[in-house]
Amino acid sequence: MAGVQTAVALREKGFTGTITLIGAEPHQPYDRPPLSKAVLLGTAEGSAFDVDFEALGVELRLGREVLGVRTADHVLDTEAGPVPYDVLVLATGAEPLPLPGTEGVPGVHLLRTLDDAERLRPVLARQHDVVVVGAGWIGAEFTTAAREAGCAVTVVEAAERPLAGALPAEVAAPMAAWYADSGAVLRTGTRVERVEPGEVVLDDGTRVPAGAVVVGIGARPATAWLTGSDIALGAHGEVLADDRLRTSAPDVYAVGDCASFPSGRYGERLLVHHWDNALQGPRTVAADILGEAAGPYDPVPYFWSEQFGRFVQYAGHHPGADTLLWRGDPAGPAWSVCWLREGRLTALLAVGRPRDLAQGRRLIEAGTPMDATLLADPARPLKSAIA
């Protein structure tokens, strides 16, 4: 997404120079969200972007791994030889974390690429018993698809609740019931000890049948190939970009899941592993390459997830909030949570309330003071709860 959108944005802004898009995968550039849904369930063969690269004058070099970069020489080293550049945009995304001790073990899967989804499709079609490791966003989405396909699913989560790394305990707690409602078994506070043929052994000695194991325990920026370069990396391996998404090396930008950026809005550096960031960031990169005067890159982060028959949306960044408000009953089908800091909306989670999300996102962007009492009334539109 980030690489393709950078190329598109450059052409839309009138750039007439050469654009080369290099990717390690052999497939036409594709969108990732459908991989855990339609592609996985076999209702779609792929999710290639509807972009005419030839008409745009964008050269695709697919199936080509990049090995390193020599920024002083403005040269990218690939397995097919060196590629000189005037400007380089890093859009390598993130890669899923493997479950330690399971690399190369038959029947253990990750879900990030089109090839991953195609390897998992027959698992669902044959209705295997499946163990999902990790009750985060990807674990929930895969569990939803596997239950829809008729698989028996056990989800193993080391934390005491789903989405422990993403949401506060009181907000994530109602989501635990979604697993049972779908017919999946959720085992929290539990770790996988080892994977054996046909089963998973948990740390309490329990053995769970497993025709397949799907690991969803997080992702890391795909930047190992930059180790040793003069492009500065952060604590999580992400490229440290500035507020124009420029890196520490001249004429090198970084965008999407592989890069963090300083947020004036939230007063900290953000590393956002979501689709919308990969869509928005390229516009800033293209503008800066072309010398256009524009403000700093400081979006309100946004993402969505479809799981267990619910449409879950989140906007903003809640750490640092001083107030949490509920709108609606979390045991019901539709509710929202609002986070405020000094009376202003800083983040919002909406379950089945897309209007709350749309209005809340605009209020976060504007920094509008809110009336907490009015905000807590789920019958009142968010935009009418302004102080």
Side-chain angles (χ1 to χ4, degrees):
M1 169 60 82
V4 168
Q5 288 300 320
T6 300
V8 170
L10 282 166
R11 288 294 188 236
E12 286 179 345
K13 289 178 177 294
F15 179 71
T16 58
T18 300
I19 300 178
T20 304
L21 193 60
I22 301 174
E25 293 184 63
H27 312 290
Q28 282 286 114
Y30 60 87
D31 207 7
R32 294 192 189 279
L35 299 185
S36 60
K37 307 171 186 72
V39 175
L40 193 60
L41 289 168
T43 57
E45 287 303 312
S47 56
F49 290 114
D50 185 18
V51 175
D52 188 335
F53 293 101
E54 186 175 353
L56 274 180
V58 174
E59 179 188 355
L60 296 180
R61 298 188 188 181
L62 305 176
R64 184 169 301 188
E65 188 173 354
V66 176
L67 306 175
V69 60
R70 290 173 277 149
T71 58
D73 300 325
H74 280 56
V75 171
L76 197 64
D77 289 313
T78 78
E79 58 186 0
V83 179
Y85 66 83
D86 294 315
V87 175
L88 175 65
V89 180
L90 307 176
T92 50
E95 54 195 6
L97 293 170
L99 185 65
T102 63
E103 291 94 333
V105 174
V108 178
H109 300 261
L110 299 169
L111 180 52
R112 178 73 180 183
T113 68
L114 179 59
D115 289 339
D116 291 338
E118 291 184 344
R119 280 189 288 267
L120 276 165
R121 192 187 293 183
V123 170
L124 270 59
R126 295 173 194 147
Q127 298 185 332
H128 282 293
D129 291 336
V130 178
V131 170
V132 177
V133 185
W137 300 114
I138 194 68
E141 291 182 4
F142 179 81
T143 298
T144 299
R147 287 298 300 139
E148 188 175 327
C151 298
V153 182
T154 300
V155 181
V156 180
E157 169 56 55
E160 296 301 324
R161 61 185 186 276
L163 294 166
L167 296 171
E170 62 189 299
V171 177
M175 299 176 173
W178 299 355
Y179 288 81
D181 291 347
S182 77
V185 175
L186 175 62
R187 297 283 303 268
T188 57
T190 307
R191 295 180 181 271
V192 172
E193 185 71 30
R194 63 185 181 276
V195 178
E196 296 183 351
E199 62 184 8
V200 168
V201 182
L202 305 181
D203 58 1
D204 62 0
T206 304
R207 292 177 175 268
V208 182
V213 178
V214 178
V215 179
I217 58 173
R220 62 189 169 208
T223 57
W225 65 282
L226 291 170
T227 303
S229 75
D230 60 352
I231 295 173
L233 302 180
H236 303 285
E238 81 279 14
V239 179
L240 295 175
D242 69 6
D243 63 4
R244 302 293 298 160
L245 299 179
R246 298 170 295 202
T247 74
S248 59
D251 304 316
V252 181
Y253 295 78
V255 65
D257 291 7
C258 72
S260 66
F261 57 90
S263 171
R265 187 190 311 277
Y266 293 106
E268 62 181 284
R269 181 168 283 275
L270 299 183
L271 176 59
V272 181
H273 280 187
H274 294 298
W275 186 92
D276 190 65
N277 180 48
L279 175 68
Q280 293 199 58
R283 298 169 191 155
T284 293
V285 171
D288 202 72
I289 289 172
L290 294 172
E292 294 182 3
Y297 183 65
D298 196 9
V300 173
Y302 166 73
F303 74 91
W304 78 95
S305 176
E306 296 177 69
Q307 52 184 268
F308 308 113
R310 295 168 172 85
F311 188 42
V312 183
Q313 296 171 283
Y314 178 95
H317 183 66
H318 66 267
D322 54 37
T323 304
L324 185 152
L325 294 174
W326 292 84
R327 285 170 57 81
D329 181 1
W335 47 274
S336 296
V337 175
C338 299
W339 287 269
L340 295 95
R341 184 175 64 226
E342 298 176 355
R344 300 173 193 273
L345 198 62
T346 186
L348 183 139
L349 174 78
V351 177
R353 290 180 68 101
R355 185 172 297 176
D356 274 8
L357 190 286
Q359 294 179 13
R361 191 176 182 182
R362 289 192 290 270
L363 291 166
I364 295 168
E365 288 173 346
T368 308
M370 306 298 294
D371 183 313
T373 302
L374 299 178
L375 196 62
D377 179 0
R380 177 183 290 273
L382 264 169
K383 63 184 180 182
S384 71
I386 295 170

